[in-house]
Amino acid sequence: QVQLVESGGGLVQAGGSLRLSCAPSGGSFRRAAMGWFRQAPGKEREFVAGVTWTIGMTVYADSVKSRFTISRDFAKNTGYLQMNSLKPEDTAVYYCAAGSMAVPGRQPGDYDDWGQGTKVTVSS
């Protein structure tokens, strides 16, 4: 029932950095895991990264490993996706999601709550 809101998207140059934020609009992150997905035009939604809210266990897609970092801040009740060394292939609408699984899932169906998405465009 908790609505998620993403922010921080925009236009960046290749090689640049961007930080996305995800915050519940009607409560706090009470679900076990938070994840980030992205969807480029004409492509299916794909997993980017996931983290368990309490323990901090992280899972990354191979395409973003070593470049992106997922994290969460209890005090600010906010989740983040730090994106470095951005590539044009990273261009997509990024979505924040939350689910009850003990280990961050890699499939969209593993998550129950979703945000509206924030667009990231990386120019070459």
Side-chain angles (χ1 to χ4, degrees):
Q1 185 178 10
V2 176
Q3 295 180 312
L4 304 179
V5 180
E6 305 95 336
S7 63
L11 174 64
V12 298
Q13 297 180 357
S17 300
L18 199 64
R19 187 180 72 169
L20 305 183
S21 299
C22 175
S25 62
S28 61
F29 279 108
R30 298 180 179 179
R31 308 299 295 276
M34 178 192 75
W36 285 95
F37 289 77
R38 65 185 182 186
Q39 186 167 22
K43 297 184 178 180
E44 63 183 9
R45 188 169 299 188
E46 66 173 344
F47 173 78
V48 176
V51 63
T52 57
W53 190 249
T54 57
I55 303 301
M57 175 185 180
T58 58
V59 178
Y60 294 93
D62 186 66
S63 60
V64 305
K65 191 177 302 180
S66 79
R67 297 191 299 119
F68 291 9
T69 302
I70 186 172
S71 62
R72 72 276 189 273
D73 189 311
F74 288 107
K76 297 180 180 179
N77 194 33
T78 302
Y80 302 96
L81 180 67
Q82 178 66 47
M83 306 184 293
N84 299 323
S85 301
L86 284 164
K87 306 175 181 180
E89 304 87 83
D90 296 319
T91 296
V93 175
Y94 284 71
Y95 298 88
C96 178
S100 60
M101 75 290 293
V103 177
R106 305 176 73 92
Q107 301 296 324
D110 295 330
Y111 298 83
D112 303 311
D113 301 322
W114 293 83
Q116 294 297 318
T118 183
K119 184 174 178 60
V120 172
T121 302
V122 184
S123 62
S124 59

